[in-house]
Amino acid sequence: DVVLTQSPATLSVTPGERISLSCRASESVDTYLHWYQQKPNESPRLLIKYASQSISGIPSRFSGSGSGTDFTLSINGVELEDLSIYYCQQGNSLPYTFGAGTKLELK
Amino acid sequence: QVNLLQSGAALVKPGASVKLSCKASGYTFTDYYIHWVKQSHGKSLEWIGYINPNSGYTNYNEKFKSKATLTVDKSTNTAYMELSRLTSEDSATYYCTRWATTGSYWGQGVMVTVSS
């Protein structure tokens, strides 16, 4: 199974700053890497698909990059509503797998 | 609009089975696979498997092959997941979700609690 390692596990942020979250795959997943945001007691929400493709309705401050084994989710100007957990997920090979998540908290 | 409506929370006894439902609306049910995902409390997400509503073909995560059974009822646009021989390890929130190149839609999730 493809293991996705997310770092850091927790990130303390200040509103307005630019941040980057990392997701590394144990083997190449090409660009079949997706990013989700999950708030408490809510279903995951897709933020970025296929590593860098935007999703309708998602604020433009969210962007993704990478291919192969190294991926990054960036938030350009963190807002308070962004405080949640972020997961990466690979859809390149079965079984599909998720990372352990990165939690954004207020500094 | 696309909507996946899941059945309500379930409290079940160890050793029993439970069947969860996911009713789809707002699109052609047979055009997209339905996936199921498990999330234990405070933990990450695990992919259980998917079903092709058109053919009934299923593909399971090896970890869940003896635990979950996926079916559909095309007449009611409903997908089902039956979980068998439940233990405390199966206590979790379960999501049905539709993944496509255009994006994804998720049900609201259903919490299953296994307790005597």
Side-chain angles (χ1 to χ4, degrees):
Chain A
D1 299 1
V2 175
V3 176
L4 298 178
T5 302
Q6 291 188 243
S7 61
T10 304
L11 184 61
S12 299
V13 302
T14 300
E17 70 175 304
R18 176 181 171 86
I19 64 166
S20 293
L21 310 182
S22 172
C23 177
R24 288 191 168 175
S26 59
E27 61 188 76
S28 176
V29 298
D30 196 351
T31 58
Y32 292 89
L33 191 288
H34 316 299
W35 290 95
Y36 291 86
Q37 176 192 61
Q38 188 178 34
K39 297 184 178 182
N41 300 313
E42 292 187 7
S43 304
R45 178 174 74 147
L46 183 65
L47 296 177
I48 298 289
K49 62 185 172 85
Y50 301 103
S52 62
Q53 294 181 15
S54 59
I55 300 293
S56 174
I58 299 300
S60 59
R61 62 180 180 273
F62 291 95
S63 63
S65 63
S67 67
T69 60
D70 288 344
F71 300 87
T72 300
L73 174 70
S74 297
I75 308 177
N76 189 11
V78 172
E79 299 189 5
L80 288 177
E81 65 181 24
D82 300 336
L83 300 180
S84 50
I85 300 177
Y86 293 84
Y87 296 102
C88 56
Q89 178 246 326
Q90 66 84 17
N92 184 64
S93 60
L94 295 173
Y96 301 135
T97 50
F98 293 83
T102 291
K103 182 178 182 180
L104 288 194
E105 62 177 26
L106 196 60
K107 186 178 291 183
Chain B
Q1 70 283 15
V2 175
N3 191 40
L4 298 174
L5 182 63
Q6 297 188 238
S7 46
L11 172 62
V12 291
K13 295 189 185 313
S17 298
V18 67
K19 193 170 186 177
L20 312 179
S21 67
C22 171
K23 184 172 177 58
S25 60
Y27 72 99
T28 302
F29 181 58
T30 51
D31 281 354
Y32 298 90
Y33 294 2
I34 293 289
H35 298 253
W36 290 84
V37 173
K38 175 185 181 182
Q39 187 170 37
S40 301
H41 184 67
K43 299 291 181 62
S44 184
L45 303 149
E46 294 181 276
W47 177 77
I48 296 171
Y50 71 71
I51 184 166
N52 178 340
N54 190 43
S55 65
Y57 175 80
T58 54
N59 197 315
Y60 295 93
N61 185 335
E62 194 68 33
K63 178 179 178 180
F64 294 96
K65 264 188 175 176
S66 59
K67 175 62 63 178
T69 302
L70 306 183
T71 57
V72 295
D73 181 346
K74 289 191 283 188
S75 69
T76 60
N77 291 349
T78 304
Y80 297 93
M81 178 172 68
E82 183 169 20
L83 301 170
S84 60
R85 297 180 300 279
L86 291 165
T87 72
S88 58
E89 295 295 307
D90 299 315
S91 292
T93 296
Y94 293 87
Y95 296 97
C96 62
T97 174
R98 192 201 93 173
W99 294 345
T101 55
T102 52
S104 73
Y105 296 90
W106 292 65
Q108 81 276 22
V110 56
M111 184 178 296
V112 174
T113 302
V114 182
S115 175
S116 54

